[in-house]
Amino acid sequence: MGRHTDLLENQCKDLRLPRIVEQIDPFIAHMAKLMAAQEKKTPPALSDPELGLLGNRLKQACSLLQALGFPDTLGHLDLNPGNILVSSERCVFLDWAEGCVTNPLITFEYLREHLRRIAVNEPQAVERLLTAYLRPWQPFFALDALKQATVVSPLVAVFAYAVGTNTWHSPETLLKPSVAGYFRSLTRRMYREMLLIDGRRERCPACA
């Protein structure tokens, strides 16, 4: 915390929330072109109204995270167990080509997603990880606020990953089917995360 100027000068990606918000409208506009160019019927392309709704929800999610006042920190766009070495004395994090400055919950979401995939038969493991991660933040934030943040952070994390490079708005994206398909897939994932947020809010009024 407090070192974002040095980190950005040393080539960390700038994925601070205001910077992310600036990219939402251009990203949605470009994804509309990619969806319109989709030739396969399945999975179905997102419509313009669906993309418009996704863009609005992304802005709302970023606004909520920003309002909570989390500091900008050193982040990692590929935080997975293979990039973490643990000994009895310390931890070492690898692959800093994916280093960025961003909201800390975004980095945590990548680790949580990896655990969710490998612990499909042990959902409580994901909850234990979340509880452990949030514990040091509790002296600074109300628990309800932290829970609200973790409801919307998966959506923001997928978007941050998508715009973490300049590939998404390259004119060549439309010309490369595999790349175009990849970004359509990421956008559909964001839409699913948006629907999950709606479902969680219906079950948890405090998260609304």
Side-chain angles (χ1 to χ4, degrees):
M1 296 185 294
R3 300 290 302 275
H4 63 271
T5 300
D6 292 338
L7 293 169
L8 293 172
E9 287 179 352
N10 284 279
Q11 307 305 310
C12 279
K13 299 177 176 69
D14 187 354
L15 291 174
R16 292 173 292 179
L17 288 172
R19 174 60 177 156
I20 288 176
V21 171
E22 289 175 357
Q23 299 186 73
I24 292 174
D25 286 341
F27 180 87
I28 293 297
H30 199 70
M31 291 309 107
K33 295 178 182 178
L34 294 186
M35 293 294 177
Q38 178 175 313
E39 297 180 355
K40 297 181 180 179
K41 293 184 179 181
T42 56
L46 295 176
S47 66
D48 286 350
E50 288 172 328
L51 288 170
L53 178 61
L54 174 59
N56 288 334
R57 293 297 178 81
L58 277 166
K59 292 174 185 176
Q60 291 170 8
C62 289
S63 178
L64 187 151
L65 286 183
Q66 195 164 3
L68 290 174
F70 280 91
D72 292 319
T73 63
L74 176 63
H76 197 307
L77 293 177
D78 191 19
L79 188 64
N80 67 77
N83 283 333
I84 306 172
L85 302 181
V86 182
S87 73
S88 59
E89 298 179 349
R90 62 176 180 149
C91 297
V92 176
F93 299 90
L94 309 178
D95 194 13
W96 286 105
E98 298 301 326
C100 63
V101 177
T102 192
N103 182 285
L105 285 175
I106 290 176
T107 295
F108 172 72
E109 283 304 327
Y110 303 135
L111 184 61
R112 181 159 67 153
E113 177 63 16
H114 277 280
L115 182 60
R116 188 180 290 115
R117 292 182 180 185
I118 64 177
V120 290
N121 296 321
E122 194 181 356
Q124 291 182 348
V126 180
E127 289 303 314
R128 290 199 300 270
L129 180 69
L130 177 61
T131 299
Y133 179 77
L134 293 182
R135 190 176 296 119
W137 290 109
Q138 290 180 26
F140 308 100
F141 299 96
L143 185 57
D144 283 348
L146 290 171
K147 289 181 177 179
Q148 289 182 50
T150 60
V151 167
V152 301
S153 55
L155 171 59
V156 180
V158 181
F159 184 73
Y161 187 83
V163 298
T165 68
N166 293 323
T167 306
W168 66 269
H169 60 66
S170 170
E172 295 181 355
T173 304
L174 282 167
L175 304 176
K176 295 182 177 180
S178 61
V179 178
Y182 172 71
F183 280 101
R184 282 193 291 263
S185 177
L186 280 179
T187 305
R188 282 190 287 264
R189 170 65 185 271
M190 291 178 219
Y191 193 80
R192 292 195 299 272
E193 292 291 350
M194 181 195 77
L195 295 178
L196 286 173
I197 290 172
D198 292 344
R200 291 175 187 137
R201 283 174 170 165
E202 288 178 1
R203 295 191 300 272
C204 176
C207 296

